Amino acid sequence: MRFCNLPRPGTRDEIRVWHDDPEAVPRIASLLRLLLDQDRRGRDVVVLCIGTDRSTGDSLGPLVGRQLARLNLPGVIVIGTLDHPVHATNLRDTLEEMAKTCAGLPVIAVDACLGPAENVGSITLGRGPLKPGAGVNKALPPVGDLFITGTVNVGGALEYLVLQNTRLSLVMRMAETIAAGVAAALADASRATSSGRLKDGNRPSSAGSVRTMEDRFRPTARTQGEARGGL
């Protein structure tokens, strides 16, 4: 969770779309496909969805992760779902595990954010890491090579209360748009990657990689911080 302002033009490859724009999904897919062509180079892709199902506003990431995990896209590793969320309490441990099992793979980080009232309902995609926790004054390590954020509510004061009182309807619709855009980009990229691997005589990535990684990153016990609903 971070506080989002409008991007400064020319600072990086970045777009902002509205979740209910008919062109939102193809625009997300188009830029993500372009950025992945530069970063992927035949490798699997990790989608790290950050947030918690214990807070309506911060459930955007796990909702996106749940939808993507159900698709079982080849060559796509989804970490962070409603059943096994990645949040402030376990983020560092998750990143340590990723360093061992996903080293060198491009990472797309997905998270909710707070921002100005006029930005609520918008989705931002670009190059660079996320800084989770910034919107609620938590110091967490930056994550990801590419980022996708959804501005779910107004920031600036009483962030935890704002997150708890965010409309689930909005978060669900934003998650559906993000997941559809990511899936469209990664499905195309997966087909191209698999085709290239077949030409080289190698087997394409298994569609079961999502479930395997989900089991690997499953928390062994709920920590005290998570029990309190840490973000």
Side-chain angles (χ1 to χ4, degrees):
M1 172 66 60
R2 67 173 187 166
F3 187 88
C4 298
N5 283 309
L6 283 168
R8 291 173 295 175
T11 56
R12 52 185 168 182
D13 298 319
E14 185 167 305
I15 62 168
R16 181 182 294 272
V17 299
W18 296 97
H19 74 283
D20 53 357
D21 182 346
E23 295 298 315
V25 170
R27 288 186 65 193
I28 291 171
S30 178
L31 179 57
L32 185 56
R33 199 178 296 121
L34 174 64
L35 296 176
L36 284 173
D37 285 344
Q38 300 170 12
D39 290 347
R40 191 172 191 182
R41 299 173 184 172
R43 297 171 294 174
D44 290 350
V45 175
V46 178
V47 184
L48 177 61
C49 301
I50 302 169
T52 174
D53 60 335
R54 294 175 178 273
S55 170
T56 306
D58 207 25
S59 64
L60 178 70
L63 285 167
V64 172
R66 178 183 177 87
Q67 295 185 46
L68 291 175
R70 287 179 168 180
L71 296 176
N72 280 337
L73 294 171
V76 179
I77 301 168
V78 179
I79 302 172
T81 63
L82 287 177
D83 292 327
H84 306 294
V86 175
H87 43 69
T89 307
N90 63 10
L91 178 61
R92 295 182 188 277
D93 290 340
T94 300
L95 294 178
E96 289 178 4
E97 183 65 24
M98 287 174 59
K100 300 174 185 176
T101 58
C102 307
L105 300 182
V107 177
I108 304 170
V110 182
D111 196 7
C113 70
L114 302 175
E118 61 269 22
N119 291 354
V120 174
S122 66
I123 297 165
T124 305
L125 161 66
R127 182 184 299 281
L130 270 178
K131 293 184 179 179
V136 288
N137 300 314
K138 286 191 176 183
L140 297 172
V143 296
D145 303 295
L146 308 176
F147 71 88
I148 301 176
T149 58
T151 306
V152 297
N153 213 328
V154 179
L158 302 174
E159 283 84 1
Y160 283 104
L161 182 61
V162 169
L163 288 171
Q164 294 290 352
N165 286 278
T166 298
R167 291 199 62 194
L168 179 60
S169 172
L170 173 63
V171 178
M172 289 287 292
R173 284 182 277 125
M174 294 180 71
E176 290 169 358
T177 298
I178 294 172
V182 172
L186 295 184
D188 290 345
S190 295
R191 282 193 291 269
T193 301
S194 297
S195 175
R197 287 174 177 170
L198 287 173
K199 290 178 182 178
D200 294 337
N202 298 322
R203 294 180 60 189
S205 297
S206 169
S209 61
V210 171
R211 294 188 183 278
T212 301
M213 298 304 294
E214 186 73 9
D215 291 339
R216 181 174 295 170
F217 286 92
R218 180 176 299 174
T220 56
R222 191 173 66 184
T223 65
Q224 183 178 2
E226 184 182 355
R228 290 196 301 267
L231 301 179

